[in-house]
Amino acid sequence: MVSIRTTTTRKREAEVTLVRATVTNSRSTTQTVTVRSRLDGPVWPPRRNGMIIPEWTEKTWTAEIAPGECRGFGFATPAEPLEEPIELVSASRSTDEQPTSRAVIASLEEWSPPGIVSSEEQ
Amino acid sequence: MIVAVAGGKGGVGKTTVSLNLGSGLDAVIVDGDLATTDLPTPHGPGIHDVLVGRVDPREAVERVGSVRLLAAGHAMEGARAADLQRFREAVSAIERAYGSVVIDCPAGLAQDVGVFLDTADVVVLVTTPNTAARVDAARTREIAVRLGTPISTIVVNKASDETATGERLDSLRTAVETELGAECIPIPFDPAVATAQEDGKPVVDVEPNSPAVDQFESIATRIKNSERRLS
């Protein structure tokens, strides 16, 4: 099964709630897991190089989790905390290889042809 | 059936293998080296024109001697404008029209090679007995595995009975098969292979008695067999 553990901190003076969560996959196959914030307010997800990390789409977080592995994430929100800030939307065996291929290709060095081809190379 | 001929290191003989395999499989050879090709350059439109959407891929395939080729040439402007995402569609269209495609991948392991490996049904890895070439082949293999494209065969080019690293051919084969996890077929060093390559021809057209001809035939047979398993 897929289990979620959360910790919530309310920063009163900043009027912001910080949510941290871990999602554990105890099944024997890789699972594509989607969870959603139950909090009554927008999700402010973390950014990397100014870009929202790819796991987040509005209030949902989707990631692949290998068997026996655990993944963590967090976000901020102006909403008041709840006892269960995160709910599981879906967990299913990962079958779609397309995003994985895209991710593998994206991890490679960017392709650009050289500006000048020397006569030796020709 | 789409076969990617890849290896990482430059100068190991990827284009030679592509040319001979294209001939053996009666496939269209697609020049994936969009910047610094070693294959004959196109007389009409080439792959650059296909990738920017100017030409139907099937119309850009030309016959050069005994092989069919979608050539690249040295059109640098085209290479800059080329869209790798269109590559997959173009290769699929050629496969539907002609049956088999051999993609001659460039050296290195950048995103262009990633797209080619992902497009292919199987990969033929090319190396020489040289350690640096084998390390690069192993990196290419790892990416192919992560992309879910199986390795059909490892070709060790320029192999002689007693190789440069001092390994005998049998132990070289065993070492390469252990390192790279697929059957290894050595291509003996033969000047006829290089001469044919310079003329842009498969070795069978230039020196039909070369021992390399049999080896290229066995690679083609292996790929045809794996096609039966995949289909």
mmCIF file of all heavy atoms in Angstrom, chain B residues 164-198:
data_model
loop_
_atom_site.group_PDB
_atom_site.id
_atom_site.type_symbol
_atom_site.label_atom_id
_atom_site.label_comp_id
_atom_site.label_asym_id
_atom_site.label_seq_id
_atom_site.Cartn_x
_atom_site.Cartn_y
_atom_site.Cartn_z
ATOM 1 N N ALA B 164 45.329 -4.575 -29.504
ATOM 2 C CA ALA B 164 46.239 -3.533 -29.021
ATOM 3 C C ALA B 164 46.426 -3.606 -27.505
ATOM 4 O O ALA B 164 47.497 -3.327 -26.987
ATOM 5 C CB ALA B 164 45.706 -2.168 -29.418
ATOM 6 N N THR B 165 45.382 -4.004 -26.786
ATOM 7 C CA THR B 165 45.492 -4.054 -25.327
ATOM 8 C C THR B 165 46.099 -5.380 -24.868
ATOM 9 O O THR B 165 46.185 -5.636 -23.678
ATOM 10 C CB THR B 165 44.105 -3.877 -24.672
ATOM 11 O OG1 THR B 165 43.201 -4.801 -25.299
ATOM 12 C CG2 THR B 165 43.577 -2.475 -24.852
ATOM 13 N N GLY B 166 46.503 -6.219 -25.818
ATOM 14 C CA GLY B 166 47.164 -7.470 -25.461
ATOM 15 C C GLY B 166 46.191 -8.602 -25.184
ATOM 16 O O GLY B 166 46.605 -9.717 -24.881
ATOM 17 N N GLU B 167 44.895 -8.334 -25.318
ATOM 18 C CA GLU B 167 43.923 -9.393 -25.059
ATOM 19 C C GLU B 167 43.787 -10.271 -26.298
ATOM 20 O O GLU B 167 43.787 -9.775 -27.410
ATOM 21 C CB GLU B 167 42.550 -8.785 -24.750
ATOM 22 C CG GLU B 167 42.446 -8.161 -23.394
ATOM 23 C CD GLU B 167 41.128 -7.407 -23.244
ATOM 24 O OE1 GLU B 167 40.943 -6.389 -23.910
ATOM 25 O OE2 GLU B 167 40.307 -7.862 -22.445
ATOM 26 N N ARG B 168 43.638 -11.547 -26.109
ATOM 27 C CA ARG B 168 43.346 -12.411 -27.243
ATOM 28 C C ARG B 168 41.872 -12.273 -27.581
ATOM 29 O O ARG B 168 41.066 -11.861 -26.759
ATOM 30 C CB ARG B 168 43.704 -13.862 -26.917
ATOM 31 C CG ARG B 168 45.204 -14.087 -26.792
ATOM 32 C CD ARG B 168 45.544 -15.573 -26.855
ATOM 33 N NE ARG B 168 45.021 -16.194 -28.076
ATOM 34 C CZ ARG B 168 45.646 -16.112 -29.260
ATOM 35 N NH1 ARG B 168 46.772 -15.453 -29.363
ATOM 36 N NH2 ARG B 168 45.126 -16.703 -30.316
ATOM 37 N N LEU B 169 41.546 -12.614 -28.841
ATOM 38 C CA LEU B 169 40.189 -12.367 -29.329
ATOM 39 C C LEU B 169 39.115 -13.021 -28.447
ATOM 40 O O LEU B 169 38.106 -12.401 -28.133
ATOM 41 C CB LEU B 169 40.080 -12.843 -30.776
ATOM 42 C CG LEU B 169 38.973 -12.226 -31.610
ATOM 43 C CD1 LEU B 169 39.010 -10.718 -31.567
ATOM 44 C CD2 LEU B 169 39.083 -12.710 -33.052
ATOM 45 N N ASP B 170 39.375 -14.272 -28.016
ATOM 46 C CA ASP B 170 38.375 -14.970 -27.200
ATOM 47 C C ASP B 170 38.135 -14.257 -25.874
ATOM 48 O O ASP B 170 36.999 -14.077 -25.452
ATOM 49 C CB ASP B 170 38.833 -16.405 -26.904
ATOM 50 C CG ASP B 170 38.639 -17.294 -28.120
ATOM 51 O OD1 ASP B 170 37.944 -16.845 -29.050
ATOM 52 O OD2 ASP B 170 39.201 -18.417 -28.125
ATOM 53 N N SER B 171 39.266 -13.857 -25.227
ATOM 54 C CA SER B 171 39.083 -13.218 -23.919
ATOM 55 C C SER B 171 38.511 -11.815 -24.099
ATOM 56 O O SER B 171 37.772 -11.330 -23.237
ATOM 57 C CB SER B 171 40.386 -13.196 -23.123
ATOM 58 O OG SER B 171 41.393 -12.568 -23.861
ATOM 59 N N LEU B 172 38.826 -11.175 -25.242
ATOM 60 C CA LEU B 172 38.231 -9.867 -25.537
ATOM 61 C C LEU B 172 36.705 -10.002 -25.644
ATOM 62 O O LEU B 172 35.952 -9.235 -25.055
ATOM 63 C CB LEU B 172 38.805 -9.307 -26.837
ATOM 64 C CG LEU B 172 38.148 -8.017 -27.343
ATOM 65 C CD1 LEU B 172 38.524 -6.837 -26.459
ATOM 66 C CD2 LEU B 172 38.541 -7.726 -28.784
ATOM 67 N N ARG B 173 36.271 -11.017 -26.386
ATOM 68 C CA ARG B 173 34.825 -11.244 -26.551
ATOM 69 C C ARG B 173 34.158 -11.445 -25.204
ATOM 70 O O ARG B 173 33.132 -10.842 -24.905
ATOM 71 C CB ARG B 173 34.563 -12.492 -27.405
ATOM 72 C CG ARG B 173 34.638 -12.238 -28.875
ATOM 73 C CD ARG B 173 34.277 -13.471 -29.640
ATOM 74 N NE ARG B 173 32.849 -13.782 -29.522
ATOM 75 C CZ ARG B 173 32.177 -14.461 -30.429
ATOM 76 N NH1 ARG B 173 32.789 -14.915 -31.499
ATOM 77 N NH2 ARG B 173 30.908 -14.709 -30.280
ATOM 78 N N THR B 174 34.777 -12.300 -24.381
ATOM 79 C CA THR B 174 34.193 -12.586 -23.065
ATOM 80 C C THR B 174 34.139 -11.306 -22.228
ATOM 81 O O THR B 174 33.122 -11.020 -21.592
ATOM 82 C CB THR B 174 35.033 -13.653 -22.324
ATOM 83 O OG1 THR B 174 35.285 -14.703 -23.257
ATOM 84 C CG2 THR B 174 34.324 -14.191 -21.121
ATOM 85 N N ALA B 175 35.241 -10.534 -22.263
ATOM 86 C CA ALA B 175 35.289 -9.310 -21.450
ATOM 87 C C ALA B 175 34.211 -8.322 -21.901
ATOM 88 O O ALA B 175 33.488 -7.761 -21.076
ATOM 89 C CB ALA B 175 36.678 -8.673 -21.567
ATOM 90 N N VAL B 176 34.095 -8.149 -23.217
ATOM 91 C CA VAL B 176 33.112 -7.188 -23.738
ATOM 92 C C VAL B 176 31.689 -7.664 -23.440
ATOM 93 O O VAL B 176 30.824 -6.874 -23.057
ATOM 94 C CB VAL B 176 33.327 -6.974 -25.257
ATOM 95 C CG1 VAL B 176 32.162 -6.233 -25.883
ATOM 96 C CG2 VAL B 176 34.619 -6.204 -25.498
ATOM 97 N N GLU B 177 31.455 -8.971 -23.579
ATOM 98 C CA GLU B 177 30.111 -9.481 -23.303
ATOM 99 C C GLU B 177 29.752 -9.306 -21.833
ATOM 100 O O GLU B 177 28.603 -9.012 -21.496
ATOM 101 C CB GLU B 177 30.004 -10.951 -23.736
ATOM 102 C CG GLU B 177 29.903 -11.056 -25.249
ATOM 103 C CD GLU B 177 29.894 -12.481 -25.782
ATOM 104 O OE1 GLU B 177 29.991 -13.435 -24.990
ATOM 105 O OE2 GLU B 177 29.797 -12.626 -27.017
ATOM 106 N N THR B 178 30.735 -9.447 -20.953
ATOM 107 C CA THR B 178 30.476 -9.252 -19.525
ATOM 108 C C THR B 178 30.216 -7.775 -19.232
ATOM 109 O O THR B 178 29.279 -7.436 -18.508
ATOM 110 C CB THR B 178 31.687 -9.744 -18.686
ATOM 111 O OG1 THR B 178 32.043 -11.033 -19.163
ATOM 112 C CG2 THR B 178 31.365 -9.799 -17.215
ATOM 113 N N GLU B 179 31.051 -6.914 -19.820
ATOM 114 C CA GLU B 179 30.908 -5.463 -19.562
ATOM 115 C C GLU B 179 29.588 -4.922 -20.097
ATOM 116 O O GLU B 179 28.961 -4.073 -19.484
ATOM 117 C CB GLU B 179 32.016 -4.689 -20.294
ATOM 118 C CG GLU B 179 33.376 -4.700 -19.638
ATOM 119 C CD GLU B 179 34.469 -4.304 -20.632
ATOM 120 O OE1 GLU B 179 34.174 -3.697 -21.677
ATOM 121 O OE2 GLU B 179 35.627 -4.610 -20.332
ATOM 122 N N LEU B 180 29.204 -5.379 -21.282
ATOM 123 C CA LEU B 180 28.118 -4.707 -21.996
ATOM 124 C C LEU B 180 26.848 -5.564 -22.129
ATOM 125 O O LEU B 180 25.837 -5.090 -22.649
ATOM 126 C CB LEU B 180 28.595 -4.236 -23.378
ATOM 127 C CG LEU B 180 29.774 -3.243 -23.333
ATOM 128 C CD1 LEU B 180 30.324 -2.985 -24.716
ATOM 129 C CD2 LEU B 180 29.344 -1.928 -22.706
ATOM 130 N N GLY B 181 26.915 -6.804 -21.656
ATOM 131 C CA GLY B 181 25.706 -7.601 -21.507
ATOM 132 C C GLY B 181 24.952 -7.957 -22.777
ATOM 133 O O GLY B 181 23.722 -7.985 -22.777
ATOM 134 N N ALA B 182 25.647 -8.212 -23.857
ATOM 135 C CA ALA B 182 24.993 -8.728 -25.071
ATOM 136 C C ALA B 182 26.050 -9.466 -25.875
ATOM 137 O O ALA B 182 27.244 -9.368 -25.589
ATOM 138 C CB ALA B 182 24.389 -7.601 -25.891
ATOM 139 N N GLU B 183 25.596 -10.210 -26.893
ATOM 140 C CA GLU B 183 26.557 -10.985 -27.676
ATOM 141 C C GLU B 183 27.487 -10.071 -28.471
ATOM 142 O O GLU B 183 27.054 -9.071 -29.035
ATOM 143 C CB GLU B 183 25.831 -11.930 -28.631
ATOM 144 C CG GLU B 183 26.821 -12.904 -29.271
ATOM 145 C CD GLU B 183 26.152 -13.841 -30.271
ATOM 146 O OE1 GLU B 183 25.046 -14.329 -29.978
ATOM 147 O OE2 GLU B 183 26.744 -14.078 -31.330
ATOM 148 N N CYS B 184 28.750 -10.426 -28.472
ATOM 149 C CA CYS B 184 29.771 -9.618 -29.138
ATOM 150 C C CYS B 184 30.155 -10.261 -30.465
ATOM 151 O O CYS B 184 30.398 -11.462 -30.533
ATOM 152 C CB CYS B 184 30.979 -9.527 -28.211
ATOM 153 S SG CYS B 184 32.474 -8.938 -28.999
ATOM 154 N N ILE B 185 30.166 -9.463 -31.526
ATOM 155 C CA ILE B 185 30.635 -9.945 -32.825
ATOM 156 C C ILE B 185 31.826 -9.082 -33.252
ATOM 157 O O ILE B 185 31.658 -7.894 -33.507
ATOM 158 C CB ILE B 185 29.502 -9.916 -33.885
ATOM 159 C CG1 ILE B 185 28.378 -10.867 -33.463
ATOM 160 C CG2 ILE B 185 30.055 -10.269 -35.274
ATOM 161 C CD1 ILE B 185 27.245 -11.022 -34.436
ATOM 162 N N PRO B 186 33.025 -9.659 -33.293
ATOM 163 C CA PRO B 186 34.184 -8.866 -33.699
ATOM 164 C C PRO B 186 34.270 -8.746 -35.220
ATOM 165 O O PRO B 186 33.929 -9.686 -35.939
ATOM 166 C CB PRO B 186 35.371 -9.665 -33.148
ATOM 167 C CG PRO B 186 34.872 -11.023 -32.840
ATOM 168 C CD PRO B 186 33.376 -11.034 -32.907
ATOM 169 N N ILE B 187 34.658 -7.576 -35.698
ATOM 170 C CA ILE B 187 34.915 -7.383 -37.116
ATOM 171 C C ILE B 187 36.431 -7.285 -37.270
ATOM 172 O O ILE B 187 37.044 -6.357 -36.741
ATOM 173 C CB ILE B 187 34.272 -6.076 -37.647
ATOM 174 C CG1 ILE B 187 32.770 -6.011 -37.341
ATOM 175 C CG2 ILE B 187 34.549 -5.894 -39.146
ATOM 176 C CD1 ILE B 187 31.900 -6.934 -38.153
ATOM 177 N N PRO B 188 37.028 -8.260 -37.957
ATOM 178 C CA PRO B 188 38.493 -8.236 -38.075
ATOM 179 C C PRO B 188 38.961 -7.013 -38.842
ATOM 180 O O PRO B 188 38.247 -6.499 -39.704
ATOM 181 C CB PRO B 188 38.799 -9.517 -38.852
ATOM 182 C CG PRO B 188 37.526 -9.899 -39.528
ATOM 183 C CD PRO B 188 36.411 -9.363 -38.694
ATOM 184 N N PHE B 189 40.147 -6.543 -38.496
ATOM 185 C CA PHE B 189 40.695 -5.403 -39.225
ATOM 186 C C PHE B 189 40.945 -5.814 -40.673
ATOM 187 O O PHE B 189 41.560 -6.832 -40.946
ATOM 188 C CB PHE B 189 41.999 -4.935 -38.582
ATOM 189 C CG PHE B 189 42.602 -3.797 -39.350
ATOM 190 C CD1 PHE B 189 42.066 -2.522 -39.229
ATOM 191 C CD2 PHE B 189 43.648 -4.012 -40.232
ATOM 192 C CE1 PHE B 189 42.594 -1.470 -39.967
ATOM 193 C CE2 PHE B 189 44.174 -2.964 -40.979
ATOM 194 C CZ PHE B 189 43.639 -1.685 -40.839
ATOM 195 N N ASP B 190 40.420 -5.039 -41.615
ATOM 196 C CA ASP B 190 40.568 -5.360 -43.029
ATOM 197 C C ASP B 190 40.562 -4.041 -43.804
ATOM 198 O O ASP B 190 39.589 -3.289 -43.725
ATOM 199 C CB ASP B 190 39.386 -6.247 -43.461
ATOM 200 C CG ASP B 190 39.465 -6.635 -44.935
ATOM 201 O OD1 ASP B 190 40.373 -6.134 -45.641
ATOM 202 O OD2 ASP B 190 38.612 -7.427 -45.377
ATOM 203 N N PRO B 191 41.646 -3.756 -44.534
ATOM 204 C CA PRO B 191 41.699 -2.490 -45.276
ATOM 205 C C PRO B 191 40.522 -2.330 -46.246
ATOM 206 O O PRO B 191 40.112 -1.202 -46.531
ATOM 207 C CB PRO B 191 43.020 -2.575 -46.046
ATOM 208 C CG PRO B 191 43.797 -3.660 -45.409
ATOM 209 C CD PRO B 191 42.835 -4.578 -44.730
ATOM 210 N N ALA B 192 39.956 -3.460 -46.725
ATOM 211 C CA ALA B 192 38.832 -3.385 -47.670
ATOM 212 C C ALA B 192 37.632 -2.689 -47.035
ATOM 213 O O ALA B 192 36.867 -1.997 -47.714
ATOM 214 C CB ALA B 192 38.441 -4.787 -48.133
ATOM 215 N N VAL B 193 37.461 -2.860 -45.707
ATOM 216 C CA VAL B 193 36.334 -2.235 -45.008
ATOM 217 C C VAL B 193 36.486 -0.716 -45.074
ATOM 218 O O VAL B 193 35.531 0.007 -45.378
ATOM 219 C CB VAL B 193 36.259 -2.724 -43.542
ATOM 220 C CG1 VAL B 193 35.154 -2.008 -42.778
ATOM 221 C CG2 VAL B 193 36.041 -4.226 -43.489
ATOM 222 N N ALA B 194 37.703 -0.246 -44.811
ATOM 223 C CA ALA B 194 37.965 1.193 -44.828
ATOM 224 C C ALA B 194 37.838 1.762 -46.236
ATOM 225 O O ALA B 194 37.274 2.845 -46.427
ATOM 226 C CB ALA B 194 39.356 1.460 -44.260
ATOM 227 N N THR B 195 38.338 1.020 -47.226
ATOM 228 C CA THR B 195 38.260 1.485 -48.613
ATOM 229 C C THR B 195 36.806 1.622 -49.054
ATOM 230 O O THR B 195 36.411 2.631 -49.647
ATOM 231 C CB THR B 195 38.971 0.473 -49.548
ATOM 232 O OG1 THR B 195 40.255 0.196 -48.995
ATOM 233 C CG2 THR B 195 39.133 1.019 -50.950
ATOM 234 N N ALA B 196 36.003 0.610 -48.726
ATOM 235 C CA ALA B 196 34.588 0.640 -49.101
ATOM 236 C C ALA B 196 33.896 1.821 -48.443
ATOM 237 O O ALA B 196 33.121 2.544 -49.075
ATOM 238 C CB ALA B 196 33.920 -0.672 -48.684
ATOM 239 N N GLN B 197 34.224 2.026 -47.160
ATOM 240 C CA GLN B 197 33.621 3.120 -46.388
ATOM 241 C C GLN B 197 33.940 4.473 -47.034
ATOM 242 O O GLN B 197 33.073 5.336 -47.138
ATOM 243 C CB GLN B 197 34.145 3.023 -44.948
ATOM 244 C CG GLN B 197 34.118 4.283 -44.145
ATOM 245 C CD GLN B 197 32.711 4.639 -43.752
ATOM 246 O OE1 GLN B 197 31.868 3.771 -43.558
ATOM 247 N NE2 GLN B 197 32.437 5.925 -43.658
ATOM 248 N N GLU B 198 35.201 4.640 -47.471
ATOM 249 C CA GLU B 198 35.580 5.908 -48.112
ATOM 250 C C GLU B 198 34.748 6.176 -49.363
ATOM 251 O O GLU B 198 34.463 7.329 -49.688
ATOM 252 C CB GLU B 198 37.076 5.902 -48.472
ATOM 253 C CG GLU B 198 37.954 6.235 -47.277
ATOM 254 C CD GLU B 198 39.408 5.866 -47.497
ATOM 255 O OE1 GLU B 198 39.837 5.825 -48.671
ATOM 256 O OE2 GLU B 198 40.104 5.614 -46.495
#
